């Protein structure tokens, strides 16, 4: 990935000045399945990212070479979509569509696409890809945009990064998942050394410093892959909407589950069908856990923060039912390891990764415990790494 500009020359021929843009993946620390309920989330951007090395040209064609798939594919801007595009081409196609509808003048380009965010692992490779694609379009259309944070490129087109996040989210909706705003937002607004607390209703946000000298963020990939588009995600979302709709009868100010306190939920939960009740209980309590996590981090109480992560997982497993035997096993191994403060699944669930908060001197012990037990018991090979919180998307070159 290091020298994507050189790869551009190898694939498309040398000689032209190459621009490089980057959209990072993310890990969500807490606040799962709260975003599309108007609630709070606390993700951080990762060092792992999707990058595009591009050279604009005057034809209205976008041609991409994917390093991962060793495949070339093209589409016309504003033209008929290709008959059967590879799945990976659908993302930049959708991004081009939403940007054009927003009034952004688009210009064609050729680009090499590469990334090290594992696909389908709950670390938002698709949001990273949408954001990187959006930056590629912004830079291609205005080559005078200097290297720097995404904000500069967005503002050169009269857009805010908040708006750009919303546009990338609608691109994702067109590809198939009715996702919330968290992933695209954090990919654009990440801050080195910090998590971000985002209010998904009004998109106000606050960086929260992470004390990496006292606790590391350890990500463990279960190796289990399940496509979000399988419908389970969209089904959860509808169940939440149904719950909010039923609770509105008791209080007309309830628009989304974000507006339901634990007390109000408890007073009226018996009016909800069984499954909807459990889904709502997760969202309402998870939202409260994010608020408590802000307090815990603010007062340096990492033990308390860790317990909130544990409670989040249990709620996702029992009430939201988006965990699975492999994620549960990883969480159990982590919780049984001295120096692990808390552990939970991260992202949508149904496979993917766990995130654990770990005392620095216990990271190795956790790694050994996982290597000793996980594959033998689950049949899947785990991947374990730590990541510092990284900056959000940028034009790198
Ligand atoms: C996926 C979606 C997000 C969010 C999470 C669950 O990552 O893209 O919007 O809903 O799942 O918290």
């Amino acid at each position: 990935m290091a020298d994507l500009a050189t790869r551009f020359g190898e694939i498309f021929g040398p000689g032209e000045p190459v621009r490089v843009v980057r959209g990072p993946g993310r890990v969500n620390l807490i606040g799962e399945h709260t975003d599309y309920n108007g609630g709070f989330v606390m993700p951080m951007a990762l060092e792992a990212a999707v990058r595009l090395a591009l050279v604009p040209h005057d034809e209205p064609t976008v041609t991409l070479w994917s390093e991962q798939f060793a495949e070339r594919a093209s589409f016309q801007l504003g033209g008929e979509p290709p008959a059967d595009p590879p799945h990976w081409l659908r993302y930049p196609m959708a991004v081009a569509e939403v940007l054009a509808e927003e009034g952004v003048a688009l210009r064609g380009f050729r680009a090499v696409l590469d990334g090290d965010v594992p696909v389908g692992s709950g670390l938002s490779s698709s949001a990273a890809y949408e954001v990187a694609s959006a930056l590629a379009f912004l830079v291609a259309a205005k080559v005078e945009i200097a290297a720097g944070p995404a904000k500069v490129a967005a503002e050169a087109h009269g857009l805010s990064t908040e708006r750009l996040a919303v546009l990338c989210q609608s691109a994702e909706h067109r590809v198939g998942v009715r996702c919330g705003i968290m992933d695209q937002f954090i990919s654009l607004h990440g801050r080195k050394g910090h998590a971000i607390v985002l209010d998904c209703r009004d998109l106000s946000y606050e960086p929260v410093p992470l004390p990496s000298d006292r606790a590391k963020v350890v990500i463990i990939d279960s190796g289990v892959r399940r496509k979000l588009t399988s419908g389970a995600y969209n089904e959860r979302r509808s169940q939440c909407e149904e719950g909010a709709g039923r609770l509105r009868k008791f209080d007309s100010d309830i628009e989304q589950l974000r507006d339901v306190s634990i007390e109000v939920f408890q007073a009226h939960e018996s009016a909800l069908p069984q499954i909807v009740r459990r889904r709502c209980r997760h969202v309402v309590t998870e939202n409260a856990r994010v608020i408590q996590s802000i307090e815990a981090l603010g007062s340096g109480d990492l033990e308390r923060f860790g317990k909130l992560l544990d409670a989040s997982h249990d709620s996702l497993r029992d009430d939201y039912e988006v965990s699975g035997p492999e994620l549960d096993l990883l969480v159990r191994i982590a919780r049984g390891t001295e120096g692990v403060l808390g552990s939970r699944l991260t992202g949508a669930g149904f496979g993917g990764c766990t995130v654990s908060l770990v005392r620095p001197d216990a990271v190795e012990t956790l790694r050994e415990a996982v290597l000793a037990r996980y594959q033998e018991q689950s049949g899947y090979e785990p991947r374990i790494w730590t990541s510092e919180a990284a900056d959000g998307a940028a034009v790198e070159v």
Side-chain angles (χ1 to χ4, degrees):
M1 266 254 290
D3 205 358
L4 208 55
T6 309
R7 272 304 276 157
F8 184 95
E10 289 165 11
I11 304 277
F12 292 107
E16 291 162 281
V18 179
R19 308 300 304 270
V20 180
V21 294
R22 159 186 180 274
R26 64 100 187 92
V27 64
N28 188 20
L29 299 181
I30 194 160
E32 218 65 85
H33 292 280
T34 45
D35 61 350
Y36 51 81
N37 290 296
F40 297 96
V41 292
M42 194 194 280
M44 65 179 222
L46 294 174
E47 287 148 356
V50 172
R51 284 187 173 79
L52 285 161
L54 68 130
V55 173
H57 55 201
D58 288 327
E59 297 115 65
T61 312
V62 174
T63 299
L64 295 178
W65 167 264
S66 159
E67 285 283 85
Q68 202 157 7
F69 295 99
E71 187 179 22
R72 183 194 292 244
S74 304
F75 64 96
Q76 295 293 316
L77 293 172
E80 275 294 300
D84 190 16
H87 187 70
W88 60 267
L89 194 68
R90 292 180 187 271
Y91 293 90
M93 284 169 62
V95 169
E97 235 175 69
V98 295
L99 287 175
E101 285 166 22
E102 184 75 3
V104 175
L106 298 182
R107 191 173 168 208
F109 59 82
R110 291 171 299 161
V112 176
L113 161 70
D114 198 9
D116 56 2
V117 189
V119 173
S121 63
L123 302 178
S124 289
S125 59
S126 63
Y129 183 21
E130 287 143 16
V131 165
S133 303
L135 282 186
F137 281 111
L138 299 183
V139 170
K142 289 200 175 174
V143 280
E144 65 276 16
I145 291 173
K151 191 172 178 356
V152 178
E155 283 173 358
H157 286 268
L159 292 170
S160 65
T161 44
E162 286 84 351
R163 182 68 193 149
L164 201 55
V166 171
L167 293 172
C168 290
Q169 178 196 21
S170 38
E172 176 83 43
H173 287 189
R174 289 177 193 204
V175 183
V177 182
R178 284 177 70 211
C179 67
I181 188 66
M182 167 168 71
D183 305 345
Q184 292 78 8
F185 196 93
I186 185 64
S187 184
L188 279 157
H189 297 92
R191 168 104 58 107
K192 198 173 165 44
H194 294 71
I196 298 287
V197 175
L198 169 66
D199 178 334
C200 297
R201 172 166 284 166
D202 66 8
L203 301 189
S204 58
Y205 66 102
E206 202 62 61
V208 180
L210 293 172
S212 66
D213 51 328
R214 292 178 54 217
K216 298 286 176 206
V217 172
V218 178
I219 300 165
I220 307 178
D221 190 344
S222 68
V224 179
R225 296 285 177 268
R226 181 158 158 201
K227 277 224 179 96
L228 274 186
T229 37
S230 61
Y233 181 93
N234 292 346
E235 180 190 59
R236 298 292 183 290
R237 194 172 169 151
S238 308
Q239 290 164 337
C240 291
E241 285 160 7
E242 182 187 341
R246 286 178 185 260
L247 292 170
R248 196 169 302 133
K249 299 200 183 91
F250 303 102
D251 178 352
S252 58
D253 285 343
I254 295 174
E255 273 175 48
Q256 291 174 293
L257 290 180
R258 141 76 181 269
D259 303 311
V260 180
S261 65
I262 294 185
E263 295 70 36
V264 168
F265 172 75
Q266 285 170 343
H268 303 297
E269 61 176 309
S270 57
L272 300 174
Q274 235 259 348
I275 291 196
V276 172
R277 184 188 314 172
R278 297 215 314 272
R279 304 294 186 253
C280 293
R281 182 162 55 215
H282 165 71
V283 174
V284 169
T285 57
E286 181 78 352
N287 213 32
R289 280 186 288 270
V290 181
I291 310 283
Q292 290 161 20
S293 295
I294 304 169
E295 292 161 11
L297 271 174
S299 62
D301 190 346
L302 295 182
E303 274 80 16
R304 175 147 177 256
F305 183 39
K307 294 215 167 64
L308 290 162
L309 299 188
D310 286 346
S312 167
H313 182 82
D314 296 352
S315 173
L316 287 160
R317 180 193 60 211
D318 300 337
D319 279 339
Y320 221 62
E321 296 181 285
V322 292
S323 189
E326 297 83 8
L327 290 170
D328 290 345
L329 173 61
L330 282 177
V331 161
R332 272 203 309 281
I333 295 173
R335 288 184 191 171
T337 304
E338 175 97 32
V340 173
L341 298 163
S343 184
R344 56 181 288 274
L345 73 83
T346 185
F350 319 112
C353 293
T354 61
V355 60
S356 306
L357 191 69
V358 185
R359 294 273 185 221
D361 57 6
V363 173
E364 244 353 269
T365 329
L366 173 60
R367 184 192 306 276
E368 281 159 21
V370 170
L371 291 178
R373 290 177 50 198
Y374 178 71
Q375 186 161 8
E376 193 194 305
Q377 292 184 30
S378 72
Y380 288 93
E381 196 181 332
R383 215 184 127 212
I384 309 159
W385 71 101
T386 57
S387 180
E388 300 294 327
D391 276 328
V395 177
E396 291 194 322
V397 178

